[in-house]
Amino acid sequence: TGYPIVKEPITLKVMLAIRDVDSLVDINDMPAIQALEQETGIHVEWEVIKGSDWNTKLNLAFASGEYPDVILSVNSPVDKEEFGVTQQLLIPLDELIKKYMPNYTERTEAEENDPTMGLMASDGKHYSVGFMMAQNINVAQHFFINQTWLDNLGLQTPTTLDELTEVLRAFKMGDPNKNGEADEVPLELGLDTGFYGVRHMLPMFGVPCATEKKWIYIDDNKKVQMAATQLGFRQCMEWLHAMYAEGIADAELVSQDINTIETKVKEGNVGFFTAWRLKQMGWEESVEKDCTLFMPTAPEGTKASLARSLELAKNGAYVTAGNQHVPETMRWLDSMLDLETMFSLYYGKEGEAWSFGTNGKIDTAPMDPTRVKDCLDANSLFYAPAKYLSEHYNMAPQRLEKTDYCQKYEAAGIIQKYSNNYLTMAPLTSEQLQNSTLKETDINNAVVENMATFVTNGVTDDSWNTFVKLFDDMQIAEYIQMYQDAINQMEIE
């Protein structure tokens, strides 16, 4: 990058979104921030805003006309369509990035697929510098089965849905934990509870739906489909009802929240569940030892189809129209991405929080969750696509575990062809996005409410037809066509 990057000292006003303000020391006292200022010659006046106040503060800043120079917002939203495309309060960065950000540009161009494609606005421009910490993953949720229970009951790993059903029945009746009590939970899940929710069972029935709030997906022919009206959705509801009626699924399935589910999984008395991974998840060590990755099954004539995840950059930093030092700002942002600076801003001091290992790659030390951080942590600008990260960072065991699971599912051919992530990148206008958000809330409420009824009471032809008609009344065809038109504009391979 070249230091210093200014001839005369300048000051930038930066609005920073922070997850947890109380866990950080004063930003200007952070060694990495002090080093960045010394190296670049740029002083920063930080306006630190916690997540709960973010939208209010951001809207007030734009309404007042007194804009910050930079918005650093890794974990809080900024509407690029409204503030960028429509109001032009954010400036497009495409040419500026090419000219002033070599770190960012080289890492992007080194990837086989552009990790910043999801940052493009409806006018084809980029209004943000991306944030990315790649892990070489291609699917979010994984299925796990209690191998110790299988061994205790002398059972083989099920390979069909019927076999899985019989195994779960054996988990209920056979005392697999060998404590003489019928206290096992064969099937653990919740209604709409993140990685533990019903939507993550749908891939076993050929419906690759895992995008939160959206109940649409892209099929193998690049067509947008409504997940909740598919035959596989009904089959999933019917199977879950059977499991619920037999006492195999958790009796609190419909009412319990994510914290309750995690507590139950942590106790190590669960036979089958979905989760992000096993290691470093905060539950008892026995869970990791007892459970193993499960290859999802499907009904006869159906193929399992997990929602494909694309490793894409998310919005990290924006430059506003009020910035009088744009070239210097872009160089400053790129300076944050110098290897040592980037890791120091994210993890802490070199030699304490991280260091170079014997292979020349960076090792990070276990983080004490109780310490007051002297770094920006996950609020910092960090840009490391898969190739760059693998060349410079020794991945932690839990990340390698996740990658291994993903590779096994990919090799089995059970991950969808076209990722639903493309739906979140679709070039929709600000008005279309606003309308779709309202419609998606109505759709989600309808789906979740009826899932609860289907699981507890079962599915009949009449109840199913009434359910499907709900979406006709919501003009779901127009909603799907809007996304289909947007997908058709995108170059998806």
Side-chain angles (χ1 to χ4, degrees):
T1 306
Y3 299 117
I5 61 178
V6 294
K7 295 180 179 179
E8 299 292 337
I10 66 171
T11 297
L12 295 178
K13 295 182 178 180
V14 177
M15 179 181 285
L16 175 67
I18 290 284
R19 280 179 175 174
D20 183 4
V21 177
D22 296 332
S23 69
L24 302 180
V25 302
D26 183 88
I27 290 181
N28 288 311
D29 291 336
M30 293 179 179
I33 293 295
Q34 293 174 346
L36 182 63
E37 178 172 346
Q38 182 177 0
E39 292 168 346
T40 63
I42 294 177
H43 176 70
V44 174
E45 293 181 358
W46 299 92
E47 182 182 4
V48 179
I49 301 173
K50 59 184 179 181
S52 58
D53 297 332
W54 178 255
N55 288 332
T56 300
K57 294 281 189 179
L58 181 67
N59 290 329
L60 284 174
F62 281 130
S64 70
E66 297 180 3
Y67 318 139
D69 295 304
V70 177
I71 299 171
L72 186 54
S73 175
V74 173
N75 297 302
S76 296
V78 177
D79 189 340
K80 62 177 179 284
E81 293 294 329
E82 177 62 27
F83 298 127
V85 178
T86 303
Q87 298 192 38
Q88 298 182 347
L89 302 180
L90 304 172
I91 65 173
L93 303 179
D94 302 76
E95 295 304 317
L96 294 167
I97 286 172
K98 292 178 183 178
K99 188 173 182 180
Y100 298 113
M101 297 191 69
N103 284 327
Y104 188 81
T105 301
E106 289 170 8
R107 293 172 202 176
T108 299
E109 292 178 348
E111 296 297 311
E112 182 176 348
N113 298 307
D114 182 1
T116 69
M117 68 174 70
L119 306 181
M120 184 182 297
S122 61
D123 61 0
K125 300 176 182 178
H126 291 74
Y127 289 86
S128 70
V129 175
F131 172 98
M132 189 174 193
M133 185 181 287
Q135 297 187 53
N136 285 316
I137 62 175
N138 54 24
V139 70
Q141 94 278 23
H142 299 283
F143 296 78
F144 298 100
I145 194 166
N146 196 315
Q147 184 64 48
T148 298
W149 287 9
L150 288 172
D151 294 341
N152 287 345
L153 297 178
L155 299 173
Q156 299 295 315
T157 301
T159 58
T160 68
L161 184 65
D162 286 343
E163 290 177 2
L164 174 61
T165 302
E166 291 305 314
V167 163
L168 295 178
R169 286 175 175 146
F171 282 173
K172 175 176 173 57
M173 303 300 296
D175 190 26
N177 64 9
K178 295 189 175 298
N179 68 352
E181 300 178 18
D183 58 349
E184 295 87 353
V185 181
L187 174 59
E188 185 59 84
L189 75 164
L191 190 64
D192 191 26
T193 48
F195 292 116
Y196 311 101
V198 167
R199 73 170 69 234
H200 289 286
M201 289 291 167
L202 290 171
M204 286 207 305
F205 296 82
V207 182
C209 179
T211 305
E212 299 304 324
K213 294 188 178 180
K214 291 187 189 297
W215 286 96
I216 53 178
Y217 68 94
I218 305 174
D219 69 15
D220 287 352
N221 296 314
K222 213 181 294 185
K223 300 297 182 183
V224 180
Q225 303 286 353
M226 177 60 180
T229 59
Q230 302 299 310
L231 173 61
F233 185 95
R234 176 172 178 170
Q235 290 176 321
C236 181
M237 296 303 107
E238 291 171 337
W239 183 73
L240 287 174
H241 171 65
M243 298 298 94
Y244 182 82
E246 294 182 35
I248 291 171
D250 193 317
E252 297 179 309
L253 187 162
V254 172
S255 60
Q256 63 187 354
D257 60 17
I258 190 170
N259 293 325
T260 303
I261 295 172
E262 289 184 337
T263 297
K264 292 178 179 179
V265 175
K266 288 176 184 178
E267 292 172 350
N269 203 32
V270 168
F272 187 79
F273 61 99
T274 57
W276 177 256
R277 62 176 180 242
L278 286 178
K279 295 180 180 177
Q280 296 292 315
M281 292 294 288
W283 42 51
E284 296 295 328
E285 188 176 328
S286 60
V287 177
E288 181 183 335
K289 291 182 178 179
D290 288 341
C291 297
T292 188
L293 183 72
F294 178 77
M295 196 63 61
T297 60
E300 186 175 352
T302 302
K303 181 182 178 182
S305 181
L306 282 77
R308 180 177 295 279
S309 294
L310 297 179
E311 289 204 301
L312 298 169
K314 64 179 182 178
N315 297 300
Y318 306 80
V319 180
T320 73
N323 190 310
Q324 300 298 308
H325 306 284
V326 173
E328 294 87 349
T329 297
M330 301 304 293
R331 293 190 182 106
W332 177 75
L333 290 171
D334 204 55
S335 298
M336 296 180 76
L337 302 180
D338 285 344
L339 181 63
E340 292 88 345
T341 301
M342 185 171 71
F343 272 83
S344 296
L345 288 170
Y346 193 99
Y347 287 101
K349 294 180 182 178
E350 180 180 0
E352 295 180 9
W354 65 273
S355 59
F356 286 100
T358 55
N359 62 355
K361 297 183 182 181
I362 288 177
D363 289 317
T364 51
M367 186 172 289
D368 179 0
T370 64
R371 78 177 177 94
V372 178
K373 300 183 182 70
D374 60 353
C375 60
L376 291 179
D377 192 40
N379 312 292
S380 178
L381 189 63
F382 195 101
Y383 187 68
K387 185 179 181 194
Y388 181 83
L389 196 65
S390 64
E391 290 174 351
H392 296 279
Y393 181 52
N394 290 314
M395 300 291 280
Q398 68 270 17
R399 295 194 177 211
L400 294 174
E401 173 204 15
K402 177 77 176 178
T403 300
D404 179 59
Y405 294 157
C406 289
Q407 290 174 345
K408 289 177 179 176
Y409 280 178
E410 186 75 88
I414 57 173
I415 305 177
Q416 74 178 139
K417 183 176 181 180
Y418 300 109
S419 173
N420 298 332
N421 291 143
Y422 289 118
L423 296 167
T424 63
M425 302 180 225
L428 303 180
T429 65
S430 183
E431 182 179 359
Q432 286 177 318
L433 283 170
Q434 185 176 5
N435 291 337
S436 67
T437 298
L438 294 174
K439 188 174 291 291
E440 284 161 7
T441 298
D442 292 339
I443 293 171
N444 187 64
N445 290 340
V447 173
V448 173
E449 179 181 346
N450 280 275
M451 283 196 312
T453 302
F454 290 152
V455 170
T456 54
N457 299 334
V459 187
T460 65
D461 287 343
D462 287 342
S463 65
W464 177 254
N465 291 335
T466 300
F467 174 64
V468 172
K469 188 177 182 301
L470 281 174
F471 304 109
D472 293 335
D473 295 341
M474 291 183 188
Q475 297 179 320
I476 195 69
E478 295 179 9
Y479 168 76
I480 290 176
Q481 189 60 53
M482 177 187 69
Y483 272 101
Q484 186 67 65
D485 292 341
I487 291 297
N488 291 343
Q489 296 176 39
M490 301 172 68
E491 296 181 1
I492 300 176
E493 298 297 333

